[in-house]
Amino acid sequence: MLKLLVKKQLIEIFSVYFYDAKKNKARSKLSTIMLMIWFAVIMTGVIAGIFTMLSRKLCAPMAALDMGWMYFALMGLLAILLGTFGSVFNTFSGLYLAKDNDLLLSMPIPVSVIVASRLISVYIMGLMYSAVVIIPAWIVYMVTDGVNTQNIFGGIILTLLISVFVMTLSCLLGYAVAKVSLKLKHKSMITVLVSLLFIGAYYFFYFKAQNMITDLLTNLTVYGEKIKGSAYLLFAFGSVGVGDVKATLIMIALVAVTFLMTWFLISKSFLQVATSTEKVTKVEYRKKAMKQESITKALLFREFWHFTSSPGYMLNSGLGVLLMPVCAAGLLWKGRKLFTVINGMFGSQNGSIMLLITIMLCGLISMDIMTAPSISLEGKSLWIAQSLPVTPWQVLRAKLDMQLILNGIPVMFCMICMAVVCPFKIGQFVMMILQVLSFMFVMAVFGLFMGVIKPVLTWTNELTPIKQSASVMITMFGGFGYTALLFIGYMVLPGYTLGYMLYIGIFIVANVVLGLTLYIWLKTKGCDRFAEL
């Protein structure tokens, strides 16, 4: 029974390799094999390759100073970080809040077997993600320091200890996430905020990584002595990799104790968490007059509700809306310094600062493609919108208005902040506003146009039309291509000889012509096509 449940868990985790959600059918064996090969290439070739290069940079100087323990401590911590991040969400959804909890608990299967099967799947996921860090580090160390019994057994034991500790940490974090999620309101917005914080932290550490590594290698001895004196467990953890017997016994005992405590916690709390329901607010009915809304407002609220209730929709189709306030704050904080640097680089080309600001705003707008998947997201419920006592244009107009509102407010805020810190001529500022707003209109109507002619209505996961549909791809790359053309035409080709006003004026005219053409098509033929879907 345990073997069967583990197999079920792994099939669920890797279901994307066996089932095509876009076509709603099983994949062919060839397709499954090719996807698995691609996944192996990404894991072992790309991710493991990145950590191999990092290991080569760190290993030689540390091994030369007989500080292999610090090398393994650093790479081991990275392995724990990646392993935990890769498996914690699987723990949250697969161990505690799995959709089949009620079904399995109703069967004559011991709870301990259910828990064990899910722990094994968590262990396998954690081992897979942590191994692509620690195994390349171990191989690089043996190549640098030599192959001997201590290095071989030290690397094997460290890999096993990391994998068990990752499973333990994932279970504890998954337990915390599961408990909190049952009490949260507005989960979609919280998911989006957490995702943005993670992206911001990633890029912060990415750009700081080189300086941090340089500082570490420059002060190896100083940091080593501090760790030995104030963080002995970290020293013992790294010493496992170089085959230190005492440190190995200490870490085995520590990891074993933490795992047993976690097993005890899971055994006692699994039934309570797995059978819990989300917190329901008790509402007291109070008689009050109902306010009737217009059809336009009701349809617009419907689109806003769909957008704000889906983290995948917000992050993939509305990232620019979330980044524009950040950009505005950045302009107020460092705008003057940034404009000085840009002026020093492109000052010989008149209007370059205004053009680069325009490109930046257009680039942020091109990230917002809410209209492109909006029709596909209706899916099998499209008949509801078609059967309502409303015209097709009213439905399409609501989708168009949502993107214009969500884009218009933050982009105007950005331009106001820019006006505060950047010296500009009033004529150039007016032309920039016209260019940005006309481009925003073009992106909205073009996305809706592509959504009408290239809908994907047969899907089982809403991320399919959001991330994989042709309408989204064409709209997104079309927006990026537009901003690239805007830059190349002015900075590379002799567009700057026309001056900012005339150059941007040409694009504004093109935007107006293209936008109105698509708008008229949507209002006529687009409505007929929507009604026939």
Side-chain angles (χ1 to χ4, degrees):
M1 180 58 68
L2 179 62
K3 181 180 178 181
L4 186 63
L5 288 176
V6 171
K7 181 179 179 181
K8 179 193 78 69
Q9 289 294 118
L10 294 178
I11 290 176
E12 287 180 359
I13 293 171
F14 296 102
S15 60
V16 67
Y17 299 100
F18 302 98
Y19 180 77
D20 189 344
K22 186 175 181 179
K23 297 180 180 178
N24 197 18
K25 66 178 183 180
R27 297 186 186 276
S28 64
K29 289 184 178 180
L30 178 61
S31 178
T32 299
I33 293 171
M34 294 303 295
L35 284 174
M36 287 184 172
I37 292 174
W38 176 246
F39 177 74
V41 169
I42 294 294
M43 291 296 291
T44 60
V46 178
I47 299 178
I50 292 171
F51 287 105
T52 300
M53 290 188 289
L54 177 62
S55 299
R56 291 182 62 187
K57 187 169 187 176
L58 295 175
C59 186
M62 291 185 178
L65 294 174
D66 196 24
M67 298 181 69
W69 64 268
M70 179 180 279
Y71 167 75
F72 278 113
L74 290 172
M75 299 308 297
L77 288 175
L78 287 175
I80 291 172
L81 180 64
L82 184 63
T84 304
F85 179 77
S87 59
V88 67
F89 295 106
N90 172 58
T91 308
F92 158 66
S93 60
L95 177 59
Y96 296 106
L97 299 182
K99 295 180 180 179
D100 59 354
N101 276 338
D102 293 339
L103 177 62
L104 291 179
L105 291 172
S106 67
M107 294 181 176
I109 304 174
V111 174
S112 59
V113 176
I114 298 174
V115 175
S117 67
R118 292 181 174 173
L119 280 178
I120 291 173
S121 68
V122 172
Y123 175 79
I124 292 172
M125 292 296 292
L127 175 62
M128 181 178 68
Y129 283 103
S130 60
V132 296
V133 179
I134 196 61
I135 290 180
W138 173 36
I139 294 172
V140 169
Y141 186 78
M142 287 196 295
V143 171
T144 304
D145 192 61
V147 179
N148 54 54
T149 305
Q150 280 186 320
N151 291 344
I152 293 174
F153 283 101
I156 293 173
I157 294 172
L158 184 63
T159 302
L160 294 175
L161 286 176
I162 287 173
S163 62
V164 175
F165 185 70
V166 164
M167 177 183 65
T168 304
L169 193 59
S170 297
C171 290
L172 293 174
L173 292 175
Y175 174 79
V177 172
K179 291 291 285 185
V180 171
S181 69
L182 293 173
K183 301 180 183 297
L184 282 179
K185 295 180 180 179
H186 310 297
K187 292 183 183 179
S188 299
M189 295 304 298
I190 292 173
T191 301
V192 171
L193 290 175
V194 171
S195 301
L196 290 176
L197 287 174
F198 172 76
I199 293 171
Y202 168 79
Y203 280 105
F204 175 80
F205 285 107
Y206 176 80
F207 289 114
K208 292 286 185 180
Q210 185 60 44
N211 292 334
M212 293 167 65
I213 292 173
T214 303
D215 181 59
L216 174 66
L217 295 179
T218 305
N219 302 282
L220 275 177
T221 306
V222 176
Y223 288 129
E225 292 301 322
K226 287 183 178 180
I227 291 173
K228 287 182 181 179
S230 58
Y232 178 77
L233 285 179
L234 184 58
F235 168 70
F237 172 66
S239 298
V240 174
V242 295
D244 188 304
V245 177
K246 179 183 175 181
T248 300
L249 294 176
I250 292 173
M251 294 310 299
I252 289 175
L254 183 62
V255 171
V257 169
T258 54
F259 171 71
L260 291 175
M261 291 174 62
T262 304
W263 172 263
F264 178 77
L265 173 66
I266 293 173
S267 300
K268 293 294 183 182
S269 62
F270 177 76
L271 281 177
Q272 179 188 358
V273 177
T275 57
S276 296
T277 55
E278 296 185 6
K279 185 178 180 181
V280 179
T281 304
K282 191 174 182 179
V283 180
E284 181 181 352
Y285 175 74
R286 293 181 181 178
K287 184 179 180 181
K288 58 182 180 180
M290 296 293 292
K291 182 181 178 182
Q292 185 177 1
E293 300 287 358
S294 65
I295 292 175
T296 301
K297 189 178 290 186
L299 290 173
L300 182 60
F301 284 166
R302 172 178 177 267
E303 295 299 325
F304 274 116
W305 177 87
H306 193 177
F307 180 74
T308 56
S309 65
S310 173
Y313 195 5
M314 285 188 281
L315 285 171
N316 290 281
S317 301
L319 188 59
V321 174
L322 304 170
L323 293 180
M324 284 180 200
V326 178
C327 177
L331 285 172
L332 292 175
W333 181 35
K334 293 286 188 180
R336 295 185 188 277
K337 185 176 180 180
L338 176 63
F339 296 142
T340 302
V341 173
I342 294 175
N343 189 54
M345 295 173 62
F346 302 100
S348 60
Q349 296 174 335
N350 185 34
S352 58
I353 292 180
M354 292 298 295
L355 181 83
L356 291 174
I357 293 173
T358 306
I359 291 171
M360 177 191 70
L361 294 175
C362 290
L364 290 171
I365 290 171
S366 66
M367 296 181 183
D368 298 330
I369 49 175
M370 289 83 85
T371 55
S374 61
I375 292 176
S376 298
L377 286 172
E378 300 284 351
K380 296 178 181 178
S381 302
L382 180 65
W383 65 272
I384 297 176
Q386 293 174 329
S387 62
L388 290 173
V390 296
T391 64
W393 174 240
Q394 288 176 311
V395 177
L396 295 179
R397 178 65 186 271
K399 298 179 186 297
L400 187 64
D401 287 346
M402 181 190 72
Q403 177 161 329
L404 293 175
I405 292 171
L406 288 176
N407 268 327
I409 295 173
V411 81
M412 287 301 297
F413 180 58
C414 277
M415 288 190 284
I416 291 171
C417 292
M418 188 277 297
V420 172
V421 297
C422 178
F424 61 87
K425 296 178 181 179
I426 188 65
Q428 291 182 337
F429 186 64
V430 171
M431 294 297 284
M432 183 192 71
I433 292 175
L434 293 175
Q435 162 62 18
V436 170
L437 295 182
S438 62
F439 175 69
M440 179 181 70
F441 178 70
V442 168
M443 283 296 297
V445 293
F446 181 69
L448 192 58
F449 166 75
M450 292 306 306
V452 171
I453 65 173
K454 292 284 186 181
V456 178
L457 301 174
T458 55
W459 47 267
T460 57
N461 187 326
E462 69 173 9
L463 288 179
T464 300
I466 291 173
K467 299 180 72 172
Q468 300 178 14
S469 62
S471 60
V472 168
M473 292 294 105
I474 294 172
T475 304
M476 180 175 64
F477 287 110
F480 291 159
Y482 181 100
T483 54
L485 177 63
L486 193 62
F487 176 82
I488 293 171
Y490 197 85
M491 295 295 189
V492 181
L493 301 177
Y496 63 89
T497 58
L498 300 175
Y500 177 81
M501 300 279 285
L502 180 57
Y503 181 79
I504 288 298
I506 294 171
F507 278 86
I508 292 172
V509 172
N511 292 342
V512 172
V513 172
L514 177 60
L516 289 178
T517 301
L518 293 174
Y519 185 84
I520 294 170
W521 185 92
L522 286 169
K523 204 168 182 178
T524 53
K525 295 182 180 179
C527 290
D528 296 336
R529 193 178 183 95
F530 176 77
E532 295 171 358
L533 291 177

